[in-house]
Amino acid sequence: MSSLLTVNNLKVQFASRKTFATAVDDFSLTIGAGECVGLVGESGCGKTTTGLAIMRLLPGTGKIAAGNIVLDGVDLAGLSEKEMQHQRGQSIALIPQDPMSSLNPTTRIGRQIGEGLRIHHGASEADARKRALEVLEMVEMPRPAERLNQYPFELSGGLRQRVIIAMGLVCSPTILIADEPTTALDVTIQAQILDILDNLRKELGMAMLLITHDMGVIAGRTDRVVVMYAGKKAEEASTPELFNSMRHPYTQALLASMPNLENTSKHKLASIAGMPPDLTKEITACRFAPRCAYATDQCRSEEPSLTLQGEHAFACFHPTDGPKVVVAIAPSPGAVRSASGAKIELVRAEGLVKEFAVTGGLIRHKIGAIHAVSDVSFTLTEGETFGLVGESGCGKTTIGRMLVGLEPLTAGQIFFDGKLVSARGHKPSRVGRRDRQMMFQDPYSSLDPRMKVANILGEPLAIQGDGNKTQQRKRVYELLASVGLDRMAADRYPHEFSGGQRQRIGFARALALNPRLIVADEPVSALDVSVQAQILNLMKELQREQHLSYVMVSHDLAVIYYMADTIAVMYLGKIVEIGDAESVFRSPAHPYTQGLLDAVPVPDPKEAHKRRGSQVRGELPSAVHPPSGCRFRTRCPKAQEICASEEPVLRSFGVTQQAACHFPMKTPVTLGPRT
């Protein structure tokens, strides 16, 4: 395959007041015409910096200190800024990670997409608008003509990502750099976006560099994979070769850190201990040695060079043999039982309804309602984990907030330990709320940036009057130790910690009052797989030690499967399937559950190719005007006339499994009387 892009011995440095950090060091890469290469690694390993260096879009403190970047015979590193502007968008384009921060909120979509054509080809407004419509159709934008006149804030995350892809394609570049293009999206939308990128690459003959930290994303989408660690190449091979015969311990550890639906038993996740090295200091040894289980004195004193075995390259003195990692079994903590051996019910939710008013007009009167949660009922046994899974907007987080008393109920009742704690007009007790705590999705926005960690963790103790200052300080140190942080962390501010450390602090805050129930709202969605594994393992360990109960909210089915004993699948405010984790994931009854499972990225190239195109298509309907009958019918491949006129009820498909569907994936069963 002819080389379209060649990166030779690239070195990128970022300057600070006293020193500089070498974010990319002696890195080389080639991409052939029409080829898709995956660039994978943890946050901070240099992936995004490499992409920005290729685009010559490094921030002011960054510079290309050495190496060259040759695109179709042109050295981009040697071009002036004016010359490089002619290359960006026209020959090479970038899909940034966060579309909302990359789109102009004051400019209509059609004009933003056509801007590149006007700049590079001098197109008229009419021609640019016509081309904008063409590329929106190419990225499978629903109602593309209507979107041209809309603003970014009027679109969902998946639609905004389509706009960003369309902007990259408008001038028909020869190579596309996609930087974490699906990180914040639901699995269904993620699968659609990746399918679109893959189909467009093949139809248009483009090359693509796919940057991600998710091994499952690259498994079914790339021809070749480059693994990056601490600014250097750790391993490179064709995608099948890498997944079947990975040689670097870091690659092996990345794969082992992922919860995997294909595992027949729930093993403890093999998290990567420690942190990446400080890149402001000169490193003369193997950069992964401090975190590697195979490291020897040679690894700690010498830097390994790339070893070639055919077309498989790796930098390791003690290469591994394949993807398997031996880890300990992580048994379920199990339910807390009464003296008679029966499971103890901790939470019972009956007929939960939550509606948010939609206002309009000059006097802002109510003109409609968002039906966030519609008649949801379930129970949670003490000591177990109840998983709520579904796409964004299905009502998962709203239910979580209702359970801890942060959101009043429109209708329904919530019982905790047999006592009514929430209902319309019911006044909750402050004492009772201490047993129900929340672990928020974004720890950075939920932690006060002006407070030190000691004050953040001590605040609930002070409010509840638990002990004097000395006793509260002691409790703060105990909390930090329980989540794997040393006591020095107490005197630091949230911004001084990594994302994984901040999530540990958020967890410690939730544990401060010794609660019996913790609602964890997407607790690992923004974390690297290695840090994610640490948090999930920690949650399970503390659940066993403290007999905690969890309500786990997530759109990541692999995470939910690893953590939960019982799982409820939600769609547009309703539970469409509920049951024990094994039944729901191994033998789903509802087509929506099956579609979600098909959309999960699988770290296996063969299996990933089998699942292509079988996931749920389209966008979630409006919660203001949900579809009649079955709410899933507008996206369901099995929908018939009855689905539009009659709402399905929950039917049994086993002792613990129920689903609401007129045309289920398997035959319902009739159960006899049960106590």
Side-chain angles (χ1 to χ4, degrees), residues 514-559:
N514 294 313
R516 298 170 64 188
L517 170 68
I518 291 180
V519 176
D521 183 15
E522 300 275 12
V524 295
S525 62
L527 303 178
D528 287 329
V529 288
S530 56
V531 181
Q532 170 182 285
Q534 295 173 18
I535 299 298
L536 295 178
N537 287 338
L538 174 64
M539 290 180 70
K540 277 206 164 186
E541 288 166 11
L542 289 178
Q543 185 175 33
R544 279 190 292 270
E545 293 172 7
Q546 301 185 22
H547 305 296
L548 290 167
S549 301
Y550 293 130
V551 171
M552 191 86 170
V553 174
S554 180
H555 65 260
D556 190 326
L557 278 79
V559 167

mmCIF file of all heavy atoms in Angstrom, residues 514-559:
data_model
loop_
_atom_site.group_PDB
_atom_site.id
_atom_site.type_symbol
_atom_site.label_atom_id
_atom_site.label_comp_id
_atom_site.label_asym_id
_atom_site.label_seq_id
_atom_site.Cartn_x
_atom_site.Cartn_y
_atom_site.Cartn_z
ATOM 1 N N ASN A 514 -21.561 6.955 56.142
ATOM 2 C CA ASN A 514 -21.839 5.516 56.232
ATOM 3 C C ASN A 514 -23.227 5.166 55.686
ATOM 4 O O ASN A 514 -24.076 4.585 56.379
ATOM 5 C CB ASN A 514 -21.733 5.035 57.680
ATOM 6 C CG ASN A 514 -20.320 5.121 58.214
ATOM 7 O OD1 ASN A 514 -19.377 4.708 57.549
ATOM 8 N ND2 ASN A 514 -20.164 5.681 59.401
ATOM 9 N N PRO A 515 -23.495 5.515 54.429
ATOM 10 C CA PRO A 515 -24.823 5.247 53.862
ATOM 11 C C PRO A 515 -25.040 3.758 53.625
ATOM 12 O O PRO A 515 -24.087 2.971 53.573
ATOM 13 C CB PRO A 515 -24.792 6.016 52.544
ATOM 14 C CG PRO A 515 -23.351 5.963 52.142
ATOM 15 C CD PRO A 515 -22.579 6.073 53.431
ATOM 16 N N ARG A 516 -26.278 3.399 53.422
ATOM 17 C CA ARG A 516 -26.616 2.022 53.067
ATOM 18 C C ARG A 516 -26.851 1.891 51.565
ATOM 19 O O ARG A 516 -26.764 0.793 51.016
ATOM 20 C CB ARG A 516 -27.848 1.583 53.846
ATOM 21 C CG ARG A 516 -27.629 1.580 55.354
ATOM 22 C CD ARG A 516 -28.920 1.376 56.115
ATOM 23 N NE ARG A 516 -29.515 0.074 55.852
ATOM 24 C CZ ARG A 516 -30.722 -0.288 56.266
ATOM 25 N NH1 ARG A 516 -31.465 0.561 56.953
ATOM 26 N NH2 ARG A 516 -31.190 -1.493 55.985
ATOM 27 N N LEU A 517 -27.161 3.012 50.903
ATOM 28 C CA LEU A 517 -27.415 3.012 49.461
ATOM 29 C C LEU A 517 -26.620 4.130 48.803
ATOM 30 O O LEU A 517 -26.624 5.268 49.282
ATOM 31 C CB LEU A 517 -28.900 3.235 49.181
ATOM 32 C CG LEU A 517 -29.292 3.487 47.710
ATOM 33 C CD1 LEU A 517 -29.086 2.229 46.884
ATOM 34 C CD2 LEU A 517 -30.727 3.968 47.606
ATOM 35 N N ILE A 518 -25.928 3.806 47.709
ATOM 36 C CA ILE A 518 -25.239 4.813 46.897
ATOM 37 C C ILE A 518 -25.765 4.712 45.471
ATOM 38 O O ILE A 518 -25.756 3.632 44.869
ATOM 39 C CB ILE A 518 -23.713 4.623 46.911
ATOM 40 C CG1 ILE A 518 -23.150 4.953 48.300
ATOM 41 C CG2 ILE A 518 -23.044 5.500 45.856
ATOM 42 C CD1 ILE A 518 -21.653 4.799 48.411
ATOM 43 N N VAL A 519 -26.246 5.834 44.961
ATOM 44 C CA VAL A 519 -26.651 5.919 43.556
ATOM 45 C C VAL A 519 -25.451 6.445 42.775
ATOM 46 O O VAL A 519 -25.019 7.582 42.989
ATOM 47 C CB VAL A 519 -27.863 6.847 43.374
ATOM 48 C CG1 VAL A 519 -28.188 7.000 41.889
ATOM 49 C CG2 VAL A 519 -29.074 6.298 44.117
ATOM 50 N N ALA A 520 -24.887 5.618 41.907
ATOM 51 C CA ALA A 520 -23.700 5.976 41.130
ATOM 52 C C ALA A 520 -24.131 6.315 39.710
ATOM 53 O O ALA A 520 -24.519 5.435 38.945
ATOM 54 C CB ALA A 520 -22.699 4.826 41.130
ATOM 55 N N ASP A 521 -24.069 7.605 39.370
ATOM 56 C CA ASP A 521 -24.535 8.084 38.070
ATOM 57 C C ASP A 521 -23.374 8.177 37.090
ATOM 58 O O ASP A 521 -22.560 9.089 37.165
ATOM 59 C CB ASP A 521 -25.203 9.456 38.240
ATOM 60 C CG ASP A 521 -25.779 9.987 36.932
ATOM 61 O OD1 ASP A 521 -25.910 9.196 35.983
ATOM 62 O OD2 ASP A 521 -26.097 11.186 36.868
ATOM 63 N N GLU A 522 -23.275 7.220 36.174
ATOM 64 C CA GLU A 522 -22.199 7.181 35.171
ATOM 65 C C GLU A 522 -20.843 7.449 35.832
ATOM 66 O O GLU A 522 -20.107 8.351 35.430
ATOM 67 C CB GLU A 522 -22.457 8.226 34.077
ATOM 68 C CG GLU A 522 -23.765 8.048 33.316
ATOM 69 C CD GLU A 522 -23.657 7.077 32.170
ATOM 70 O OE1 GLU A 522 -22.645 6.356 32.073
ATOM 71 O OE2 GLU A 522 -24.603 7.022 31.369
ATOM 72 N N PRO A 523 -20.440 6.673 36.843
ATOM 73 C CA PRO A 523 -19.248 7.012 37.618
ATOM 74 C C PRO A 523 -17.929 6.852 36.873
ATOM 75 O O PRO A 523 -16.910 7.367 37.321
ATOM 76 C CB PRO A 523 -19.320 6.050 38.812
ATOM 77 C CG PRO A 523 -20.069 4.868 38.290
ATOM 78 C CD PRO A 523 -21.075 5.441 37.333
ATOM 79 N N VAL A 524 -17.918 6.124 35.739
ATOM 80 C CA VAL A 524 -16.646 5.898 35.042
ATOM 81 C C VAL A 524 -16.720 6.264 33.561
ATOM 82 O O VAL A 524 -15.832 5.913 32.791
ATOM 83 C CB VAL A 524 -16.204 4.418 35.192
ATOM 84 C CG1 VAL A 524 -15.891 4.104 36.646
ATOM 85 C CG2 VAL A 524 -17.274 3.463 34.667
ATOM 86 N N SER A 525 -17.761 6.991 33.145
ATOM 87 C CA SER A 525 -17.974 7.236 31.713
ATOM 88 C C SER A 525 -16.870 8.075 31.080
ATOM 89 O O SER A 525 -16.595 7.944 29.890
ATOM 90 C CB SER A 525 -19.328 7.916 31.484
ATOM 91 O OG SER A 525 -19.366 9.182 32.121
ATOM 92 N N ALA A 526 -16.235 8.960 31.858
ATOM 93 C CA ALA A 526 -15.228 9.860 31.285
ATOM 94 C C ALA A 526 -13.807 9.413 31.572
ATOM 95 O O ALA A 526 -12.859 10.169 31.334
ATOM 96 C CB ALA A 526 -15.444 11.275 31.828
ATOM 97 N N LEU A 527 -13.621 8.185 32.075
ATOM 98 C CA LEU A 527 -12.301 7.730 32.501
ATOM 99 C C LEU A 527 -11.688 6.765 31.499
ATOM 100 O O LEU A 527 -12.390 6.043 30.796
ATOM 101 C CB LEU A 527 -12.395 7.047 33.866
ATOM 102 C CG LEU A 527 -12.996 7.881 35.014
ATOM 103 C CD1 LEU A 527 -13.068 7.041 36.279
ATOM 104 C CD2 LEU A 527 -12.193 9.143 35.252
ATOM 105 N N ASP A 528 -10.354 6.730 31.475
ATOM 106 C CA ASP A 528 -9.648 5.719 30.696
ATOM 107 C C ASP A 528 -9.992 4.332 31.224
ATOM 108 O O ASP A 528 -10.335 4.163 32.398
ATOM 109 C CB ASP A 528 -8.131 5.915 30.819
ATOM 110 C CG ASP A 528 -7.657 7.126 30.050
ATOM 111 O OD1 ASP A 528 -8.268 7.453 29.023
ATOM 112 O OD2 ASP A 528 -6.676 7.751 30.477
ATOM 113 N N VAL A 529 -9.820 3.315 30.371
ATOM 114 C CA VAL A 529 -10.185 1.961 30.781
ATOM 115 C C VAL A 529 -9.387 1.501 31.990
ATOM 116 O O VAL A 529 -9.904 0.784 32.859
ATOM 117 C CB VAL A 529 -10.019 0.963 29.612
ATOM 118 C CG1 VAL A 529 -11.093 1.165 28.579
ATOM 119 C CG2 VAL A 529 -8.638 1.053 28.981
ATOM 120 N N SER A 530 -8.117 1.903 32.096
ATOM 121 C CA SER A 530 -7.301 1.467 33.223
ATOM 122 C C SER A 530 -7.786 2.085 34.528
ATOM 123 O O SER A 530 -7.885 1.417 35.560
ATOM 124 C CB SER A 530 -5.831 1.818 32.984
ATOM 125 O OG SER A 530 -5.684 3.207 32.742
ATOM 126 N N VAL A 531 -8.110 3.386 34.493
ATOM 127 C CA VAL A 531 -8.618 4.063 35.690
ATOM 128 C C VAL A 531 -10.038 3.572 35.994
ATOM 129 O O VAL A 531 -10.413 3.393 37.154
ATOM 130 C CB VAL A 531 -8.600 5.591 35.491
ATOM 131 C CG1 VAL A 531 -9.109 6.310 36.734
ATOM 132 C CG2 VAL A 531 -7.189 6.065 35.160
ATOM 133 N N GLN A 532 -10.815 3.344 34.953
ATOM 134 C CA GLN A 532 -12.164 2.806 35.116
ATOM 135 C C GLN A 532 -12.129 1.491 35.875
ATOM 136 O O GLN A 532 -12.928 1.254 36.790
ATOM 137 C CB GLN A 532 -12.787 2.604 33.737
ATOM 138 C CG GLN A 532 -14.094 1.833 33.723
ATOM 139 C CD GLN A 532 -14.632 1.624 32.325
ATOM 140 O OE1 GLN A 532 -15.151 2.540 31.705
ATOM 141 N NE2 GLN A 532 -14.496 0.423 31.797
ATOM 142 N N ALA A 533 -11.186 0.622 35.530
ATOM 143 C CA ALA A 533 -11.063 -0.670 36.204
ATOM 144 C C ALA A 533 -10.760 -0.489 37.686
ATOM 145 O O ALA A 533 -11.301 -1.209 38.539
ATOM 146 C CB ALA A 533 -9.972 -1.507 35.535
ATOM 147 N N GLN A 534 -9.896 0.471 38.015
ATOM 148 C CA GLN A 534 -9.564 0.728 39.421
ATOM 149 C C GLN A 534 -10.807 1.143 40.211
ATOM 150 O O GLN A 534 -11.043 0.665 41.327
ATOM 151 C CB GLN A 534 -8.502 1.817 39.519
ATOM 152 C CG GLN A 534 -7.151 1.445 38.936
ATOM 153 C CD GLN A 534 -6.193 2.619 38.911
ATOM 154 O OE1 GLN A 534 -6.391 3.607 39.605
ATOM 155 N NE2 GLN A 534 -5.158 2.519 38.107
ATOM 156 N N ILE A 535 -11.605 2.050 39.643
ATOM 157 C CA ILE A 535 -12.803 2.544 40.333
ATOM 158 C C ILE A 535 -13.826 1.429 40.511
ATOM 159 O O ILE A 535 -14.416 1.254 41.589
ATOM 160 C CB ILE A 535 -13.422 3.729 39.570
ATOM 161 C CG1 ILE A 535 -12.433 4.908 39.489
ATOM 162 C CG2 ILE A 535 -14.727 4.168 40.215
ATOM 163 C CD1 ILE A 535 -12.042 5.490 40.819
ATOM 164 N N LEU A 536 -14.052 0.630 39.460
ATOM 165 C CA LEU A 536 -15.039 -0.452 39.549
ATOM 166 C C LEU A 536 -14.606 -1.512 40.561
ATOM 167 O O LEU A 536 -15.427 -2.009 41.346
ATOM 168 C CB LEU A 536 -15.252 -1.078 38.175
ATOM 169 C CG LEU A 536 -15.883 -0.169 37.113
ATOM 170 C CD1 LEU A 536 -15.993 -0.905 35.784
ATOM 171 C CD2 LEU A 536 -17.250 0.333 37.550
ATOM 172 N N ASN A 537 -13.328 -1.872 40.548
ATOM 173 C CA ASN A 537 -12.830 -2.833 41.532
ATOM 174 C C ASN A 537 -12.984 -2.293 42.948
ATOM 175 O O ASN A 537 -13.361 -3.022 43.876
ATOM 176 C CB ASN A 537 -11.363 -3.169 41.259
ATOM 177 C CG ASN A 537 -11.183 -4.048 40.030
ATOM 178 O OD1 ASN A 537 -12.109 -4.738 39.603
ATOM 179 N ND2 ASN A 537 -10.005 -4.027 39.450
ATOM 180 N N LEU A 538 -12.668 -1.006 43.119
ATOM 181 C CA LEU A 538 -12.792 -0.370 44.431
ATOM 182 C C LEU A 538 -14.242 -0.398 44.919
ATOM 183 O O LEU A 538 -14.520 -0.693 46.089
ATOM 184 C CB LEU A 538 -12.287 1.071 44.357
ATOM 185 C CG LEU A 538 -12.471 1.943 45.598
ATOM 186 C CD1 LEU A 538 -11.668 1.385 46.766
ATOM 187 C CD2 LEU A 538 -12.057 3.378 45.305
ATOM 188 N N MET A 539 -15.186 -0.096 44.022
ATOM 189 C CA MET A 539 -16.601 -0.098 44.403
ATOM 190 C C MET A 539 -17.047 -1.482 44.863
ATOM 191 O O MET A 539 -17.782 -1.622 45.850
ATOM 192 C CB MET A 539 -17.454 0.387 43.228
ATOM 193 C CG MET A 539 -17.294 1.868 42.913
ATOM 194 S SD MET A 539 -18.307 2.421 41.511
ATOM 195 C CE MET A 539 -19.955 2.321 42.234
ATOM 196 N N LYS A 540 -16.572 -2.518 44.176
ATOM 197 C CA LYS A 540 -16.946 -3.881 44.574
ATOM 198 C C LYS A 540 -16.323 -4.268 45.911
ATOM 199 O O LYS A 540 -16.961 -4.910 46.755
ATOM 200 C CB LYS A 540 -16.530 -4.874 43.490
ATOM 201 C CG LYS A 540 -17.532 -4.994 42.352
ATOM 202 C CD LYS A 540 -17.446 -6.345 41.690
ATOM 203 C CE LYS A 540 -18.670 -6.609 40.827
ATOM 204 N NZ LYS A 540 -18.706 -7.966 40.280
ATOM 205 N N GLU A 541 -15.072 -3.878 46.120
ATOM 206 C CA GLU A 541 -14.391 -4.211 47.378
ATOM 207 C C GLU A 541 -15.098 -3.565 48.569
ATOM 208 O O GLU A 541 -15.340 -4.215 49.597
ATOM 209 C CB GLU A 541 -12.934 -3.749 47.310
ATOM 210 C CG GLU A 541 -12.066 -4.586 46.379
ATOM 211 C CD GLU A 541 -10.742 -3.920 46.064
ATOM 212 O OE1 GLU A 541 -10.423 -2.906 46.740
ATOM 213 O OE2 GLU A 541 -10.027 -4.388 45.163
ATOM 214 N N LEU A 542 -15.434 -2.275 48.433
ATOM 215 C CA LEU A 542 -16.097 -1.578 49.530
ATOM 216 C C LEU A 542 -17.533 -2.079 49.724
ATOM 217 O O LEU A 542 -18.063 -2.047 50.835
ATOM 218 C CB LEU A 542 -16.087 -0.070 49.282
ATOM 219 C CG LEU A 542 -14.714 0.594 49.415
ATOM 220 C CD1 LEU A 542 -14.799 2.079 49.101
ATOM 221 C CD2 LEU A 542 -14.153 0.403 50.816
ATOM 222 N N GLN A 543 -18.151 -2.556 48.644
ATOM 223 C CA GLN A 543 -19.488 -3.135 48.781
ATOM 224 C C GLN A 543 -19.440 -4.383 49.656
ATOM 225 O O GLN A 543 -20.304 -4.584 50.517
ATOM 226 C CB GLN A 543 -20.064 -3.481 47.407
ATOM 227 C CG GLN A 543 -21.505 -3.977 47.458
ATOM 228 C CD GLN A 543 -22.092 -4.202 46.079
ATOM 229 O OE1 GLN A 543 -21.389 -4.585 45.154
ATOM 230 N NE2 GLN A 543 -23.382 -3.973 45.935
ATOM 231 N N ARG A 544 -18.405 -5.210 49.451
ATOM 232 C CA ARG A 544 -18.258 -6.409 50.273
ATOM 233 C C ARG A 544 -17.954 -6.055 51.725
ATOM 234 O O ARG A 544 -18.503 -6.652 52.652
ATOM 235 C CB ARG A 544 -17.135 -7.296 49.709
ATOM 236 C CG ARG A 544 -17.544 -8.152 48.536
ATOM 237 C CD ARG A 544 -16.481 -9.165 48.191
ATOM 238 N NE ARG A 544 -15.295 -8.508 47.660
ATOM 239 C CZ ARG A 544 -15.105 -8.257 46.374
ATOM 240 N NH1 ARG A 544 -16.038 -8.592 45.506
ATOM 241 N NH2 ARG A 544 -14.011 -7.672 45.955
ATOM 242 N N GLU A 545 -17.065 -5.076 51.921
ATOM 243 C CA GLU A 545 -16.624 -4.738 53.277
ATOM 244 C C GLU A 545 -17.714 -4.034 54.087
ATOM 245 O O GLU A 545 -17.851 -4.263 55.288
ATOM 246 C CB GLU A 545 -15.383 -3.838 53.206
ATOM 247 C CG GLU A 545 -14.148 -4.535 52.646
ATOM 248 C CD GLU A 545 -13.006 -3.560 52.401
ATOM 249 O OE1 GLU A 545 -13.143 -2.371 52.790
ATOM 250 O OE2 GLU A 545 -11.975 -3.969 51.836
ATOM 251 N N GLN A 546 -18.490 -3.156 53.426
ATOM 252 C CA GLN A 546 -19.445 -2.322 54.151
ATOM 253 C C GLN A 546 -20.902 -2.681 53.874
ATOM 254 O O GLN A 546 -21.809 -1.968 54.307
ATOM 255 C CB GLN A 546 -19.196 -0.846 53.806
ATOM 256 C CG GLN A 546 -17.788 -0.378 54.142
ATOM 257 C CD GLN A 546 -17.591 1.118 53.901
ATOM 258 O OE1 GLN A 546 -18.534 1.895 53.878
ATOM 259 N NE2 GLN A 546 -16.339 1.522 53.715
ATOM 260 N N HIS A 547 -21.132 -3.788 53.142
ATOM 261 C CA HIS A 547 -22.493 -4.256 52.821
ATOM 262 C C HIS A 547 -23.321 -3.157 52.143
ATOM 263 O O HIS A 547 -24.501 -2.961 52.442
ATOM 264 C CB HIS A 547 -23.202 -4.740 54.089
ATOM 265 C CG HIS A 547 -22.447 -5.786 54.839
ATOM 266 N ND1 HIS A 547 -22.179 -7.037 54.325
ATOM 267 C CD2 HIS A 547 -21.864 -5.758 56.067
ATOM 268 C CE1 HIS A 547 -21.488 -7.738 55.191
ATOM 269 N NE2 HIS A 547 -21.277 -6.991 56.257
ATOM 270 N N LEU A 548 -22.676 -2.440 51.231
ATOM 271 C CA LEU A 548 -23.353 -1.357 50.519
ATOM 272 C C LEU A 548 -24.312 -1.904 49.470
ATOM 273 O O LEU A 548 -24.110 -2.992 48.923
ATOM 274 C CB LEU A 548 -22.323 -0.456 49.824
ATOM 275 C CG LEU A 548 -21.438 0.421 50.709
ATOM 276 C CD1 LEU A 548 -20.284 1.001 49.885
ATOM 277 C CD2 LEU A 548 -22.247 1.544 51.322
ATOM 278 N N SER A 549 -25.317 -1.114 49.183
ATOM 279 C CA SER A 549 -26.202 -1.379 48.041
ATOM 280 C C SER A 549 -25.987 -0.259 47.032
ATOM 281 O O SER A 549 -25.809 0.895 47.422
ATOM 282 C CB SER A 549 -27.667 -1.404 48.480
ATOM 283 O OG SER A 549 -27.879 -2.399 49.454
ATOM 284 N N TYR A 550 -25.985 -0.611 45.749
ATOM 285 C CA TYR A 550 -25.783 0.386 44.697
ATOM 286 C C TYR A 550 -26.973 0.403 43.740
ATOM 287 O O TYR A 550 -27.544 -0.653 43.432
ATOM 288 C CB TYR A 550 -24.539 0.075 43.855
ATOM 289 C CG TYR A 550 -23.209 0.186 44.549
ATOM 290 C CD1 TYR A 550 -22.286 -0.858 44.467
ATOM 291 C CD2 TYR A 550 -22.843 1.335 45.247
ATOM 292 C CE1 TYR A 550 -21.044 -0.771 45.070
ATOM 293 C CE2 TYR A 550 -21.605 1.432 45.857
ATOM 294 C CZ TYR A 550 -20.712 0.369 45.769
ATOM 295 O OH TYR A 550 -19.487 0.468 46.373
ATOM 296 N N VAL A 551 -27.293 1.592 43.273
ATOM 297 C CA VAL A 551 -28.061 1.739 42.043
ATOM 298 C C VAL A 551 -27.087 2.321 41.038
ATOM 299 O O VAL A 551 -26.606 3.439 41.200
ATOM 300 C CB VAL A 551 -29.283 2.664 42.218
ATOM 301 C CG1 VAL A 551 -29.927 2.951 40.855
ATOM 302 C CG2 VAL A 551 -30.307 2.020 43.135
ATOM 303 N N MET A 552 -26.758 1.543 40.016
ATOM 304 C CA MET A 552 -25.726 1.916 39.050
ATOM 305 C C MET A 552 -26.394 2.405 37.769
ATOM 306 O O MET A 552 -27.137 1.655 37.113
ATOM 307 C CB MET A 552 -24.854 0.701 38.746
ATOM 308 C CG MET A 552 -23.612 1.014 37.968
ATOM 309 S SD MET A 552 -22.279 1.490 39.075
ATOM 310 C CE MET A 552 -20.905 1.490 37.912
ATOM 311 N N VAL A 553 -26.152 3.664 37.426
ATOM 312 C CA VAL A 553 -26.737 4.274 36.233
ATOM 313 C C VAL A 553 -25.651 4.380 35.163
ATOM 314 O O VAL A 553 -24.583 4.949 35.410
ATOM 315 C CB VAL A 553 -27.292 5.675 36.555
ATOM 316 C CG1 VAL A 553 -27.760 6.371 35.286
ATOM 317 C CG2 VAL A 553 -28.428 5.584 37.559
ATOM 318 N N SER A 554 -25.904 3.829 33.976
ATOM 319 C CA SER A 554 -24.887 3.883 32.921
ATOM 320 C C SER A 554 -25.511 3.563 31.569
ATOM 321 O O SER A 554 -26.540 2.897 31.484
ATOM 322 C CB SER A 554 -23.766 2.883 33.217
ATOM 323 O OG SER A 554 -22.765 2.919 32.215
ATOM 324 N N HIS A 555 -24.848 4.069 30.494
ATOM 325 C CA HIS A 555 -25.227 3.632 29.150
ATOM 326 C C HIS A 555 -24.244 2.578 28.642
ATOM 327 O O HIS A 555 -24.386 2.066 27.542
ATOM 328 C CB HIS A 555 -25.272 4.822 28.180
ATOM 329 C CG HIS A 555 -23.936 5.465 27.935
ATOM 330 N ND1 HIS A 555 -23.532 6.617 28.555
ATOM 331 C CD2 HIS A 555 -22.908 5.105 27.134
ATOM 332 C CE1 HIS A 555 -22.317 6.939 28.151
ATOM 333 N NE2 HIS A 555 -21.925 6.038 27.290
ATOM 334 N N ASP A 556 -23.227 2.253 29.473
ATOM 335 C CA ASP A 556 -22.214 1.263 29.113
ATOM 336 C C ASP A 556 -22.658 -0.104 29.620
ATOM 337 O O ASP A 556 -22.592 -0.401 30.815
ATOM 338 C CB ASP A 556 -20.866 1.660 29.723
ATOM 339 C CG ASP A 556 -19.719 0.809 29.198
ATOM 340 O OD1 ASP A 556 -19.940 -0.386 28.926
ATOM 341 O OD2 ASP A 556 -18.594 1.340 29.065
ATOM 342 N N LEU A 557 -23.105 -0.965 28.734
ATOM 343 C CA LEU A 557 -23.651 -2.255 29.135
ATOM 344 C C LEU A 557 -22.595 -3.177 29.725
ATOM 345 O O LEU A 557 -22.899 -3.993 30.600
ATOM 346 C CB LEU A 557 -24.325 -2.939 27.938
ATOM 347 C CG LEU A 557 -25.747 -2.468 27.640
ATOM 348 C CD1 LEU A 557 -25.732 -1.152 26.886
ATOM 349 C CD2 LEU A 557 -26.517 -3.507 26.853
ATOM 350 N N ALA A 558 -21.350 -3.057 29.270
ATOM 351 C CA ALA A 558 -20.293 -3.907 29.814
ATOM 352 C C ALA A 558 -20.032 -3.568 31.278
ATOM 353 O O ALA A 558 -19.814 -4.456 32.108
ATOM 354 C CB ALA A 558 -19.017 -3.742 28.994
ATOM 355 N N VAL A 559 -20.063 -2.273 31.615
ATOM 356 C CA VAL A 559 -19.885 -1.843 33.008
ATOM 357 C C VAL A 559 -21.046 -2.332 33.860
ATOM 358 O O VAL A 559 -20.851 -2.841 34.970
ATOM 359 C CB VAL A 559 -19.751 -0.298 33.081
ATOM 360 C CG1 VAL A 559 -19.879 0.196 34.520
ATOM 361 C CG2 VAL A 559 -18.419 0.148 32.495
#
